[in-house]
């Protein structure tokens, strides 16, 4: 599935991601008033992916990457905090799940629980430091931590497998009380897909609840004016830290699922991976949680299609990204919910 | 005697070589509408910042409702019931008018949780509607704040401060940049708000101050020049000399 091999992947998205910081802050419109309906949209998207994407592990990857990107969008779109290090909790969540499955138990529950909780804790520590700064300085700190994490993973051979990656992660089992499912992405991709879809949907619903909760609303107010939010009496740093922890936990969960899918945790450059998930968010649109899912599906589709024809597929993905950003800075979701209805109204008005 | 809601003693602050506020003391009783006037650069906004904790005082102390709040972070001061409206309009630009005010009302309700939808908290939405009605922004409740006219944004700024249910409201030139008719309605609004909440305000327009203030402090080059009722201030020779000459 998504082939982010270090060899050919060193150039393109880094500069794109740099442009993304400025872009990510200029949201340009109020969040669209689609909230709970997004769950329905995600069900539809999952069904479409299930029936149209021929490669099952690509289809499952779309759900996993979508969830990862949606979590990141809490920070980027809702909080105005552009993280350049979101690969870290994803990759380390993968290691956490992989190590549990290899050494402790093959229970998927335990592995995913450990991946999620450990990344929440790690994010609490990292967030407490990074959130001492704002704007681009915050972004640089998150990048620095991701780099630190990358080199630890690279050097710590005994635990992570270093450059070779953590191989031999066993197939996990999911106890459901009445039955026990084997989560084998190769032999039984449909079961894996459905289980992933359920986990992703539940997490997605929880994320929507967060954005609609008093705290989630304050997060958006802080994005608009931190000074004013403080003037209302809010502890703005705490709200941002809670968000950072939630985004990290979701990335850990996604990383754990991804490790279970591949039975392997590879070492990929985190600056690239962080850039990719940021591109998914921006491509899909920052004003909703569903947008990043669209972005993930689109990105992975482009990648798998283009890489069949050319080795320099990243060049084309980069070019498409630049064009999309110039033409629809609000992303695919913004295009569908704002621009298209606006054009329709105009043409109707003209008639 | 009614209690003092705010008591500042010997506030002093320099920035480099500029002595912005020199040994200023201030007492604001409950229910007052206290105004601070003075020419540009006389230290009015710095004095506000010393009170709110935006700027740490070099010397002196601030008591709010009997508690020492000197140098306390602004958010903490705000939680104790001190709200501020801004000289340079500060609202949440891309949120709706309703959400702008709702965020502030939510702060007062202490319902900052994340396991239930914000819109389901009835007390907060009711309070929001009340404040919008009082400020006269009900018709614009669904508009995006940044699309409002300048005057309406000033009023929204005031509405946010009011929705936090403060016991002391600091207004930093509430009529700045307003047209004469907008100014008149804002003055009327401030007078009305004063029935429920103590107000300390900075104002430039003399006619505004003289008609509504219960007490006036005149600042000049960082020092308190005079303090008294509007009539006294108006007739005081020193005040006329430095401030009123040419403006009345």
């Amino acid at each position: 599935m998504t082939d982010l091999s270090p060899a050919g992947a060193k150039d393109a998205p880094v500069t794109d991601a740099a442009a993304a910081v400025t872009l990510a802050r200029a949201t340009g419109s109020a969040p669209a008033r689609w909230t709970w309906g997004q769950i329905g949209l995600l069900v539809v998207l999952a069904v479409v992916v299930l029936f149209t994407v021929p490669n099952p592990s690509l289809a499952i990857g779309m759900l996993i990457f979508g969830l990862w990107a949606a979590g990141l969008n809490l920070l980027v779109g809702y909080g105005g905090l552009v993280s350049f290090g979101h690969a870290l909790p994803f990759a380390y969540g993968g290691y956490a799940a992989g190590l549990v499955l290899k050494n402790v138990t093959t229970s998927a529950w335990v592995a995913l629980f450990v991946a999620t909780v450990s990344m929440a804790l790690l994010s609490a520590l990292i967030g407490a430091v990074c959130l001492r700064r704002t704007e681009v300085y915050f972004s640089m700190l998150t990048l620095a931590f991701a780099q630190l994490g990358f080199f630890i993973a690279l050097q710590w051979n005994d635990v992570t497998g270093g450059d070779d990656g953590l191989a031999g992660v066993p197939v996990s089992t999911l106890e459901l009380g009445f039955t026990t499912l084997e989560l084998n992405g190769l032999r039984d991709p449909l079961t894996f897909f459905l289980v992933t879809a359920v986990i992703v949907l539940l997490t997605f619903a929880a994320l929507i609840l967060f954005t609609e909760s008093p705290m989630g609303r304050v997060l958006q107010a802080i994005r608009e004016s931190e000074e004013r939010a403080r003037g209302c009496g809010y502890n703005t740093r705490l709200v941002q830290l809670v968000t950072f922890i939630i985004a990290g936990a979701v990335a850990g969960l996604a990383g754990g699922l991804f490790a279970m899918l591949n039975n392997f945790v590879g070492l990929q450059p985190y600056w690239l991976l962080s850039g990719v998930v940021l591109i998914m968010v921006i491509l899909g649109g920052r004003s909703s949680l569903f947008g990043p899912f669209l972005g993930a599906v689109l990105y992975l589709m482009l990648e798998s299609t283009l890489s069949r024809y050319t080795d320099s597929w990243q060049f084309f993905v980069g070019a498409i990204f630049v064009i999309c950003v110039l033409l629809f800075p609000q992303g695919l979701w913004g295009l569908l919910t704002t621009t298209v209805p606006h054009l329709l109204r105009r043409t109707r008005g003209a008639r | 005697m009614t209690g003092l809601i705010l008591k500042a003693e010997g506030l002093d602050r320099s920035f480099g070589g500029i002595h912005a506020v020199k040994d200023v003391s201030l007492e604001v009783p409950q229910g007052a509408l206290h105004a601070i006037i003075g020419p540009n650069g006389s230290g009015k906004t710095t004095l506000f910042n010393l009170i709110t904790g935006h700027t740490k005082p070099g010397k002196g102390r601030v008591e709010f409702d009997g508690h020492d709040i000197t140098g306390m972070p602004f958010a903490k001061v705000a939680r104790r019931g001190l709200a501020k409206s801004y000289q340079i309009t500060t609202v949440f630009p891309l949120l709706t008018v309703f959400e702008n005010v709702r965020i502030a009302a939510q702060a007062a309700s202490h319902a900052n949780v994340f396991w239930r939808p914000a819109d389901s908290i009835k007390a907060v939405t009711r309070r929001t509607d009340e404040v919008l009605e009082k400020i006269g922004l009900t018709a614009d409740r669904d508009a995006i704040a940044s699309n409002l006219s300048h005057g309406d944004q000033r009023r929204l700024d005031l509405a946010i401060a009011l929705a936090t249910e403060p016991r002391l409201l600091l207004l930093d030139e509430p009529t700045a940049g307003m047209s004469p008719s907008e100014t008149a309605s804002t003055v009327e609004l401030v007078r009305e708000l004063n029935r429920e909440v103590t107000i300390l305000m900075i104002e430039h327009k003399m006619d505004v101050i003289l008609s509504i203030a219960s007490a006036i402090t005149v600042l000049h080059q960082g020092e308190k020049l005079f303090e008294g009722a509007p009539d006294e201030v108006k007739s005081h020779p020193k005040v006329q000399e430095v401030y009123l000459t040419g403006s009345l």
Side-chain angles (χ1 to χ4, degrees), chain B residues 14-225:
Chain B
S14 306
F15 299 102
I18 298 159
H19 207 162
V21 171
K22 292 178 202 158
D23 193 26
V24 173
S25 295
L26 200 65
E27 291 191 345
V28 182
Q30 301 266 14
L33 203 171
H34 194 120
I36 299 172
I37 62 170
N40 282 326
S42 59
K44 303 184 298 290
T45 297
T46 306
L47 181 60
F48 257 32
N49 287 339
L50 291 174
I51 293 170
T52 55
H54 279 87
T55 309
K56 303 244 182 297
K59 269 185 280 181
R61 95 190 216 113
V62 185
E63 250 178 47
F64 177 61
D65 205 21
H67 300 278
D68 187 1
I69 58 161
T70 317
M72 198 182 264
F74 181 38
K76 245 173 143 179
V77 176
R79 280 200 287 280
R80 284 174 176 270
L82 190 151
K84 176 188 170 184
S85 89
Y86 290 74
Q87 183 178 18
I88 298 159
T89 309
T90 308
V91 297
F92 305 115
L94 296 181
L95 304 183
T96 62
V97 168
F98 184 84
E99 181 66 6
N100 264 271
V101 178
R102 204 198 58 76
I103 285 286
Q106 176 184 299
S109 78
H110 303 289
N112 193 14
V113 296
F114 51 81
W115 48 85
R116 61 184 286 200
D119 292 331
S120 71
I121 303 171
K122 291 279 181 327
V124 173
T125 47
R126 211 180 309 122
R127 169 78 185 156
T128 307
D129 281 326
E130 252 173 56
V131 172
L132 286 175
E133 181 73 50
K134 197 177 288 175
I135 300 283
L137 283 170
T138 306
D140 297 311
R141 73 199 293 277
D142 296 324
I144 300 298
S146 60
N147 292 344
L148 293 181
S149 71
H150 173 79
D152 282 345
Q153 286 196 33
R154 298 288 309 154
R155 289 206 303 204
L156 179 58
D157 189 315
L158 188 58
I160 295 171
L162 190 65
T164 62
E165 299 183 33
R167 282 175 302 152
L168 175 64
L169 192 54
L170 265 54
L171 306 178
D172 198 344
E173 284 196 49
T175 67
M178 283 189 172
S179 68
S181 71
E182 284 173 331
T183 301
S185 68
T186 302
V187 167
E188 193 42 52
L189 184 62
V190 169
R191 195 205 303 263
E192 210 170 286
L193 294 180
N194 184 229
R195 275 185 219 139
E196 296 159 42
V197 58
T198 313
I199 293 177
L200 176 63
M201 69 189 282
I202 293 175
E203 190 48 80
H204 250 343
K205 297 172 184 160
M206 278 308 291
D207 45 343
V208 168
I209 288 296
L210 294 173
S211 63
I212 61 175
S214 58
I216 297 179
T217 299
V218 186
L219 287 185
H220 180 54
Q221 295 181 347
E223 278 174 297
K224 189 152 94 175
L225 188 72

